[in-house]
Amino acid sequence: LVIEDNLAAARSLRLLLRETGHTVEIAHNGPDGVELARRFRPEIVLCDIGLPGLDGYAVARVLRQEPGLTGVYLIAVSGYGQNADQRRASEEGFNAYLTKPIDFKELDRLLTKPSPYERHGELA
């Protein structure tokens, strides 16, 4: 699941992920992202931090409490990459953090790690 309010960025991520064999759904704001996650039940969520409605931190908090989604692998996506930003993302429940523009090699590394879904709380 890609939750990203920038339409071009969301479409680019969807295209890249589909080309590498993933099934991808997109939401463009926090509330729609949470609702879509409830229906779609993704294994991985790439979530922008600066979202309308609910920011990415709020989305992470909701998903970590949602039955059936507590173990989802959450990847924060943000234009900010300071240590404090990454630390807050980890505290809010994200497993990994990518700074925009996304390095697709780094994204692929995160997606192909052995059993990333088992490492809730470990920020990559």
Side-chain angles (χ1 to χ4, degrees):
L1 173 61
V2 173
I3 308 173
E4 169 64 64
D5 61 330
N6 180 301
L7 300 179
R11 289 178 183 142
S12 294
L13 277 171
R14 177 176 54 196
L15 179 64
L16 173 77
L17 293 168
R18 283 185 174 169
E19 285 183 10
T20 57
H22 298 278
T23 301
V24 182
E25 295 289 336
I26 294 177
H28 299 293
N29 61 58
D32 289 350
V34 168
E35 186 56 37
L36 187 54
R38 288 176 176 145
R39 291 191 320 266
F40 181 51
R41 299 287 184 191
E43 294 176 338
I44 302 168
V45 175
L46 285 97
C47 185
D48 185 22
I49 297 298
L51 292 168
L54 291 173
D55 69 13
Y57 300 124
V59 170
R61 287 191 301 271
V62 170
L63 295 182
R64 289 293 179 221
Q65 300 298 316
E66 187 71 28
L69 292 171
T70 58
V72 68
Y73 191 68
L74 293 175
I75 302 173
V77 179
S78 176
Y80 302 100
Q82 300 297 320
N83 288 339
D85 301 314
Q86 294 181 27
R87 187 172 34 258
R88 179 167 182 206
S90 179
E91 291 167 356
E92 297 286 358
F94 284 96
N95 301 89
Y97 193 98
L98 293 173
T99 303
K100 292 179 182 180
I102 292 176
D103 177 339
F104 293 121
K105 288 182 182 179
E106 180 65 12
L107 175 58
D108 187 56
R109 182 189 71 79
L110 289 173
L111 298 178
T112 58
K113 278 184 169 183
S115 303
Y117 323 109
E118 298 174 349
R119 292 190 312 278
H120 170 66
E122 175 191 320
L123 189 63

